[in-house]
Amino acid sequence: SLGWFRLDAKTPHRKLRPHVGYCVMNTPISRRIFLASGIAASIPGSQLRSLIASERDVVRSQSQSLVTSLSDYLLGQQSPDGGWKSQTYALLKSGQALTPFVLSILQDCDSSFAESVAVARARSWMINQMRNGVLGVADSDVLEYPVFASAFALRCFEAMADNDAAVDSLRRFLIREQFTESRGFSKSDLAYGGWGFGGTQPPGQTGHMDLSHTRWALAAIRATDDRSSYDDQASTTPNPELDQIYSNA
């Protein structure tokens, strides 16, 4: 079990006392860390380095094994048509939001995954689900988090080859969705610079302001900053409009 200690300069002999607080360096330490530090101090440097290296190898091996196991599980959940669909939540059953999210995670775990059959199936599925260059709006009556779905789809397509049209359309959609003057917001509005779930709203109305969606939209736009087709400038040329997007957010 973890306990907390602090070194109190006012205590005689600087005695260690159990306490929910901080040590003199203002750093919380646990009993396990404190005891391990004492043991480590008694081990010669070369032996200690060897032990640490060995422990790192074990942790790395265990982590990779876990990543492989989880990746295999996710791959096993892919639908025959190429999507990933919720078996629990009605709003996520179409797969428009889950598919790019799961695919993005798998791509981050293993770069070689980009050439797999599963990616090719997911790519085709997402393209078929896009409407007017946007993912998450296949059913006009029930939107499935268009900003979230399009942000992750943008990241997925950016990691693949020959997807320029999809990347550009998704990127333009995300930029249009930011709550700025073009959407009827002023800098005095609390929602200014952020993103919501997506969808048509009257000018100045957010529908729903969401910090998570703001984060993912901004990350996706930033990940594709070198897209010269967006502003017809070389990737090394400063882009004041994109700088303003980041500043607003």
Side-chain angles (χ1 to χ4, degrees), residues 77-100 125 129 135-136 138-139 142-145 148-149:
Q77 301 302 306
Q78 188 178 28
S79 299
D81 62 7
W84 277 273
K85 305 170 184 180
S86 175
Q87 302 301 313
T88 304
Y89 301 102
L91 189 55
L92 300 175
K93 284 186 176 180
S94 81
Q96 295 176 81
L98 278 185
T99 298
W125 185 90
Q129 293 294 317
L135 188 62
D139 185 343
V142 183
L143 302 183
E144 192 167 320
Y145 306 112
F148 179 92

Side-chain angles (χ1 to χ4, degrees), residues 46-60:
S46 60
Q47 295 182 28
L48 179 60
R49 286 192 293 272
S50 178
L51 286 173
I52 292 175
S54 177
E55 180 66 18
R56 284 176 178 170
D57 289 340
V58 171
V59 171
R60 187 177 295 111

Side-chain angles (χ1 to χ4, degrees), residues 235-247:
S235 60
T236 56
T237 302
N239 189 330
E241 184 175 10
L242 292 183
D243 290 342
Q244 189 63 49
I245 290 172
Y246 303 141
S247 175

